[in-house]
């Protein structure tokens, strides 16, 4: 475990925290005017290995060789010149800090979006130490500035590293849809939409980039059920039709041994280490497409009937005859997060092949066509 302290004066800025993998949706921008939950679990932190946050340089100002040296092989909107290693925590874990309301930054809408750099200072010495983000459509978080804080080991009980079997047994999947609250709804007039989960859209954005690379520009089939709902439409639209196709299958702990004809494996990434599950058998050479553990768990072991958010209550004297509840209906077919798709694809060297680069260059058109 670690505590984070102010690099300037040494004051504590957090309690003891355990490191977990950076969520794939950490930088997601979801919907319009929606209120997203807190990104990180209590008692945890994650590290962004790449530079993130202002100052940004636009793509036109960047030498492609420099981008390539940073592991980026196709155009992005911009590159951050901030220091790498920002630490993200739940806002409730930040102690000894004060908001600096003067630095609201640009792009401020319903709250703080952090675009102007650190907006929280050390309460003891006044040094800027962190960026609070709580604007609409962004995950609520505090990002500690890697140059303004120090990480110190804390002598306490370490959160145990869970085995794959223990993770499966915990049964904590990420439901494919969830209620999303519009910003500023007051209690009582709450408008709740049942939408595809932002976490699923983010997870699919990353996975789809890998699936395309793994496809080798051949049609890809994914298993029926949620995997098909999430991936098949986009794969059919972005890849040529006709045989021979490549087979993607769900693989991981608790699932039966793999078929020999599986070319691509949809596997879980460990929530604590971020490492992807690896099969022990001959299928080890198949391309492994990472899914966040909770999404993978819900895809691999779907619940027969998912909980549906309810509003209001049944009038007195009315008896329900619609139990068990039917599966929920979605407002729209599934769409993967386009920016997380882009962020993943530009970091895969295969994006330099012309057909993949074309998909990237046509991303806006693909979004207009409803694929993303
Ligand atoms: Zn807003
Ligand atoms: Zn300080």
């Amino acid at each position: 475990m670690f505590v984070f302290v102010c690099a300037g004066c040494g004051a504590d800025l957090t309690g003891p925290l355990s490191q977990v993998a950076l969520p794939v949706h950490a930088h997601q921008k979801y919907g319009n005017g929606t209120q997203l939950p807190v990104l990180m679990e209590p008692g945890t932190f994650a590290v962004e290995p790449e530079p993130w946050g202002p100052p940004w340089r636009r793509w036109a100002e960047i030498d492609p060789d420099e981008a390539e040296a940073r592991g980026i092989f196709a155009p992005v909107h911009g590159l951050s010149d901030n220091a790498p290693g920002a630490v993200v925590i739940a806002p409730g874990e930040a102690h000894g800090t004060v908001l600096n309301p003067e630095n609201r930054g640009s792009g401020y809408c319903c709250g703080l979006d952090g675009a102007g750099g650190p907006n929280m200072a050390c309460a003891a010495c006044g040094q800027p130490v962190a960026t609070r983000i709580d604007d609409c459509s962004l995950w609520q978080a505090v990002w500690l500035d890697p140059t303004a804080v120090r990480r110190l080991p804390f002598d306490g009980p370490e959160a145990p590293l869970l085995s794959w079997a223990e993770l499966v047994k915990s049964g904590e999947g990420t439901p494919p849809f969830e209620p999303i609250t519009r910003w500023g709804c007051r209690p009582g007039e709450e408008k709740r939409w049942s939408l595809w989960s932002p976490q699923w859209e983010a997870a699919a954005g990353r996975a789809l980039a890998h699936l395309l690379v793994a496809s080798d520009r051949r049609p890809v089939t994914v298993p029926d059920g949620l995997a098909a709902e999430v991936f098949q439409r986009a794969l059919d639209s972005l890849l040529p039709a006709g045989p021979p196709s490549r087979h993607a299958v769900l693989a991981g702990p608790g699932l039966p041994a793999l078929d020999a004809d599986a070319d691509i494996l949809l596997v879980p990434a460990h929530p604590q280490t971020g490492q992807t599950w690896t099969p022990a058998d001959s299928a080890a050479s198949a391309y492994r497409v990472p899914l966040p553990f909770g999404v993978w768990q819900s895809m691999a072991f779907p619940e027969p009937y998912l909980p549906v958010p309810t509003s209001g209550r049944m009038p007195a004297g009315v008896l329900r005859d619609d139990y068990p509840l039917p599966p929920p209906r979605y407002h729209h077919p599934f769409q993967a997060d386009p920016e997380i798709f882009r962020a993943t694809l530009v970091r895969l060297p295969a994006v330099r092949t012309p057909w993949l680069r074309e998909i990237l260059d046509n991303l806006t058109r693909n979004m207009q066509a409803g694929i993303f």
Side-chain angles (χ1 to χ4, degrees), residues 33 109-110 135-136:
C109 177
C110 299
D135 203 359
C136 56

Side-chain angles (χ1 to χ4, degrees), residues 59-60 62 64 67 72-79 339 342-343 345-347 351-352 357 360-361 363:
W59 182 253
I62 295 158
I72 294 166
F73 306 102
V76 288
H77 299 306
L79 280 186
E339 289 309 324
R342 184 205 304 276
L345 192 55
V346 299
R347 285 166 175 79
V351 73
R352 289 177 292 200
R357 177 61 191 270
L360 189 70
D361 291 343
L363 192 54

Side-chain angles (χ1 to χ4, degrees), residues 32-34 107-111 135-137 183:
N32 186 7
T34 53
Y108 167 88
C109 177
C110 299
D135 203 359
C136 56
S137 297
W183 191 273

Side-chain angles (χ1 to χ4, degrees), residues 253-266:
L255 288 178
L258 292 159
D259 289 346
D261 70 340
D263 309 294
I264 304 167
L265 311 180
L266 296 162

